[in-house]
Amino acid sequence: MGERDALVYVGAWGALISTAILEVQLILLDIVQNLTAFLLSMAVIQSVIIAYAYQHLREEKSSTAIMPFTSFIMLLVLVSAAITSVLACTPYLG
Amino acid sequence: MATWSWVKRWLTTTNHKDIGILYMVTSIYFFLVAGVLAMLFRTQLAFPDKEILVGSEFNQAVTIHGLLMLLWFMSPFEVGLANYLIPLQIGARDLAFPRLNALSYWLYLASGLVLIAGFFVPGGAADMGWTLYAPQNVLLTGDGTILAAVAIILITASVTVGTVNFVVTIAKMRAPGMTWSKIPMFTWGVLFSVLMMWLAFPPLAVGALALILDKMLGTTFLTSLEGGALLWDHLFWFFGHPEVYVLLLPALGAMADIVSVFARRQLYARRFVIIALFIATALSYLVWMHHMFITGTSLTVRKIFSVTTALISIPFELATLALIMTLYKGKVVYRAPLLYVIAGILFFIIGGSTGVFQAAIILDRAFRGTYWVVAHFHYIMVGAVLLGLLGALYFWWPKITGRLYNEKLAKIQLLLLGVGVTATYLPQFLLMDMPRRYYTYPEEWLGLNRISTLGAFILLAAFLLGLYILIDSLVRGKPAPPNPWKAWGLEWAVPSPPPRHNYDGQPVVREDGSIVFVPEHELERIGVENVMKSSGNPELAPKGVLPNGGAGVKHVYHEHWSMTPMLVGLSTLVMGLGLVAGKPVLLLGLAILAVAITKWAIDDYRERFHEDEPRFREDWPFSGTNKLRLGMWTFISSEVFLFGSLISVYLFIRSRSLAWPPGYEHHDPYIGLLNTIILFTGTLFYSLAYLYAKHGKMIKSAALMLGTIVTGGLFLGVKAFEWWELFAQGYGINSNLQFQLYFVLTGIHALHVIAGLIATIYMVAKILSGRRPSLTSILMLGIYWGIVEIVWTFLFPMFYLM
Amino acid sequence: MAEIVPPQEYWWMLFNYYLIAAVILAGGVTMLLVYFLLRYKTSNEDEYGEDYPGPGRLPTRYAKIGPTRYLLVVTGIIVLGLTVATFPYTEYVELTPQTPDMTIWVTGFTFGWRFQYPEELGGFTTVNEVVVPTNTMIEFKVTSQDVFHAFGIPEFKGAKVDAIPGIVNSLWIVTPDEPGEYDIFCYELCGVGHSLMVAKLKVVTPDEFQRFLEEKAGR
Ligand code: HEM
Ligand SMILES: [Cu+2]
Ligand SMILES: [Cu+2]
């Protein structure tokens, strides 16, 4: 049973490293269309891997796991509302 | 010597009742300070042609008045009440983490003192209003604003720790049979309140940090056009709106319980009220832009916020109607606490209705920045929340002090308060053209302002009378019986004041709602389930509301205390002042902090601090989870929000910037990638260390942790190299915004790495010296490392790739 | 000149609707509260209502929600309905309905207001006083050169926007038929001189306005 856990950890490590390398290569080759969206979603994927594998969120009961999830959702709200409101106002820089 | 032990008791206590009292006494002190400030500026406003308190002094008075009243009086007073009452109400012997509870208190005290110290520094205290609007908070203020920002960060730390404590306590420390449906509304209110503090404060702390950096290190987050006013507005109001409900909900909960007791009815539609308050809690995060209706942001977005604001009034309508309907067919006895609550409801109706006016964008265009808004929120905060809390104080006072008080005087005080609130704030609705925070104004508004000032003095008289009532009760009051009001609730089944250990035997709430206190061994013998079902069983009949709860045994209580929380609080006080007073003071503060942390580690190493773990509890749906892990996740979520707010600062500034060269022009992406891999590897080591520890192989575990320490050190080394290169090229923390963000965000991240390293080194030392840290504590550090890494997965692309 | 409804007329109309709704609803609820208080008063401490848990006990069942839910639905609809019903008026006020007769730039500074007249009228600036002709639709484009201010003319209800560095917000008014003088205040705390940030809006007859322009041009 210890092996299975070890496998999860090492597997997660492999996934993290390869996504990181992939990300850098794709950017430097300049073939990504929507930079911000791409990078943010990569970061979210990596975070989920870390949370599940290394932070053992997978072992937590859902009543505990709801705490970080709520926080994540609220964060999306804060960011998206602030950004939309800003993009839509009439800037007159300078 | 008796005095010394008395002092020592209060400095080192970790008992929830002691800390509750400390909280309440301290908050009343801040209330008095804020009240004096209010009297000063109301006096000026009665004589607008005189110069009693003008210019910056006037602005300091209104600013500190607002900050103190909201953050250092009202909310902490509620926390104090909650501290005292919630364990009693849910049948716990203390909060889940007594030492952290003390830490919350000392951080709170330190933060308040730092704020007030502003009056004694060059330039005076913060003077840009309690909302501290940017960019004037940076450009036009003195050192007091730095202290205010420090105070905000400290109180954020305090409430974050407090939130973790209350969430875990309410989730996991309830007595058997104390199901969610049975816990009193006050406890519910506090739960919702801390759930709002939980995510509302991190953005505020980030704003305060930006303010400190701008003022001290020359960054331009709040002064540049890209960040500036709107950035502050979002960060502040994302906090600011939930904060007003943070104040409201515990008071509303207490009001509901009090009405129920004196109407001799169960709270009307109790379940719906709870659901409604939960909805309001969630919605409270979605209305903040109604404070920004005239900043010129997108009309569509504002319309959405207008609707959410109107929506949020509906749960409160339900709550108000429920309070009123509870009286229906009741047997209403007119005792003082009830009358306070009734007055509170009346004022709440007015305050709430005017809020609905402001929810309409077009109407709010006229109200924004005027005395109408001042009247709106004072009707709620003074009229409803403060009167409700006074009702709560008068309700629980006999329980807390064991003394009765002069109820007739309390009723006279209420009369004064009612007249005072109306005289002070009703004219302010009529002053709906008058700008806030003007110390002089046109003649036409003189009359209304004078009435308002008169009202303020009536309020002053009422509060002085209140102090007299309380002191009189302490000195001369008759001893209070356990349950002077014939109230329902577990706290009324124990003596007044409750013994240090709260009750003898384990309280069990039976299915018929009666409470029995059963010795633990008995409980084991009979079985919790059987006791809960035993309503008809005479052997287990409640032996009445007696001292010792009728359990027939004396509970052996292990006193716990600790000096470290006080030391940590002291160190933050000294460091905070040091930011303004200069390096020596700052270093002194750091030294105290180091002592405190060392002492904490030694205490932990020697396992000196014990808290009673309940053997029997009701904790659905959290059964089977560990309280430390639930606490850790609650804490980590607020960390997520802290970093999330920082990241949103980045996105905000970036989306408003005209030019933003890709990060790899300044930061080598391959070095960044290398550091990413190093960090990932460190966490892998740590996880494997946890795996070994799980299988009892402690030495191998320690070895892998050493691996984490090495990789963490490497990470910092690479980081230092990068920074050094940038400095050599002439970049610094006050270069353009792109670099400011880079240095600040990666700097804070590096600090988190350092903290993780210190904890890991301690863990290794503990293992190597032959002690075995608990598996949970190893896991918790792993969760912490995880968040450090998660943050980096965002920072890396943000600065190196885009 | 412009035949257009001044924003403050709509403002007052909506305010009055709100006031009526609030007085009826809040008043009704208050009366209910007072009635219950008087009706169910007792001085016997030991009398309990039917579902009272009893001293030192805990509630066992949730109390039901009765017909109050209908009241709740009705008030909810009123509150939401009122809010949504204001939106067309909000749009009217915010999205300037037609080309204004005159556009004046307003810049807040510590501590005062600077007004810049349009090029075709001479493009001159005034400080803390803005003179405009009667019965004219005027647009103010508001910004700030230093810190956060808010520009508001209380007599013209709803004529208020924030003055923020780097952002231009606009508002419009229709000046009345009669000459008059109106106060302009700053509605956001901006520093020691905040209370002194008072300007005057002077509405004058077209003739007088012409004279004012000539005087400015002559300088
Ligand atoms: C019925 C629910 C409520 C609604 C619809 C409501 C709505 C509003 C709106 C739209 C504003 C912004 C006004 C402006 O600045 O132009 C406001 C301001 C405010 N409200 Fe409320 N409110 C409600 C309840 C409360 C409660 C319960 C509290 C406090 C416990 C509160 C405290 C405040 C404060 C402190 C401000 C002003 C902040 C400032 O500008 O300094 N409100 N409210
Ligand atoms: Cu709000
Ligand atoms: Cu101002």
Side-chain angles (χ1 to χ4, degrees), chain B residues 448-748:
Chain B
L448 290 169
N449 268 299
R450 290 228 162 127
I451 300 175
S452 186
T453 300
L454 183 69
F457 278 92
I458 298 175
L459 285 178
L460 175 69
F463 291 125
L464 292 179
L465 178 59
L467 277 184
Y468 170 78
I469 296 170
L470 298 185
I471 293 169
D472 175 64
S473 157
L474 284 180
V475 178
R476 275 200 300 264
K478 288 202 208 66
N483 190 354
W485 315 114
K486 300 189 166 45
W488 59 270
L490 204 159
E491 74 269 35
W492 301 105
V494 298
S496 305
R500 275 219 40 102
H501 53 282
N502 289 357
Y503 35 72
D504 292 316
Q506 168 69 51
V508 179
V509 184
R510 302 198 294 184
E511 278 174 353
D512 65 346
S514 60
I515 299 161
V516 284
F517 295 85
V518 190
E520 293 194 347
H521 58 271
E522 283 283 291
L523 199 55
E524 210 132 307
R525 187 174 62 80
I526 309 168
V528 178
E529 289 294 309
N530 292 333
V531 175
M532 287 201 273
K533 290 206 194 84
S534 66
S535 312
N537 185 343
E539 189 202 344
L540 284 164
K543 307 211 170 65
V545 274
L546 294 169
N548 306 331
V553 293
K554 187 113 183 79
H555 175 80
V556 188
Y557 178 62
H558 305 283
E559 276 286 349
H560 44 64
W561 67 87
S562 171
M563 209 165 76
T564 35
M566 190 271 292
L567 281 179
V568 175
L570 181 67
S571 76
T572 58
L573 173 66
V574 177
M575 282 191 291
L577 297 179
L579 277 187
V580 169
K583 267 222 186 80
V585 184
L586 194 62
L587 289 178
L588 176 67
L590 274 174
I592 302 176
L593 182 65
V595 171
I597 291 179
T598 315
K599 199 163 161 357
W600 198 302
I602 292 175
D603 281 357
D604 177 80
Y605 182 78
R606 302 231 171 106
E607 281 161 26
R608 266 212 200 120
F609 189 83
H610 285 285
E611 51 215 46
D612 277 0
E613 273 301 313
R615 284 190 28 222
F616 305 94
R617 56 173 124 208
E618 177 80 48
D619 56 2
W620 183 87
F622 296 92
S623 30
T625 61
N626 180 304
K627 81 172 184 186
L628 286 169
R629 276 159 76 167
L630 179 61
M632 189 67 187
W633 277 108
T634 312
F635 171 71
I636 283 294
S637 310
S638 83
E639 281 278 282
V640 166
F641 223 72
L642 187 80
F643 274 105
S645 311
L646 284 167
I647 292 171
S648 67
V649 169
Y650 167 94
L651 289 172
F652 187 96
I653 288 181
R654 200 186 154 142
S655 62
R656 299 228 298 162
S657 291
L658 301 176
W660 195 282
Y664 46 78
E665 292 192 0
H666 293 292
H667 314 290
D668 185 344
Y670 287 110
I671 297 187
L673 183 62
L674 176 69
N675 236 356
T676 310
I677 294 176
I678 291 176
L679 200 59
F680 285 157
T681 311
T683 319
L684 173 66
F685 286 158
Y686 193 88
S687 300
L688 292 171
Y690 170 66
L691 190 62
Y692 276 118
K694 205 152 124 190
H695 294 277
K697 300 185 178 131
M698 295 315 286
I699 295 300
K700 285 195 177 151
S701 177
L704 279 159
M705 283 186 195
L706 271 177
T708 307
I709 294 169
V710 171
T711 49
L714 257 175
F715 177 87
L716 288 177
V718 174
K719 186 97 268 159
F721 167 73
E722 287 183 290
W723 277 37
W724 184 78
E725 287 242 288
L726 288 171
F727 289 145
Q729 290 170 35
Y731 294 112
I733 192 165
N734 48 8
S735 309
N736 66 30
L737 277 166
Q738 204 173 351
F739 279 102
Q740 296 174 16
L741 285 165
Y742 171 79
F743 282 114
V744 171
L745 265 68
T746 58
I748 293 177

Side-chain angles (χ1 to χ4, degrees), chain B residues 372-395:
Chain B
W372 170 284
V373 174
V374 178
H376 154 71
F377 66 78
H378 280 91
Y379 255 87
I380 295 175
M381 291 200 292
V382 182
V385 177
L386 189 55
L387 258 56
L389 287 178
L390 278 174
L393 184 62
Y394 283 133
F395 184 56

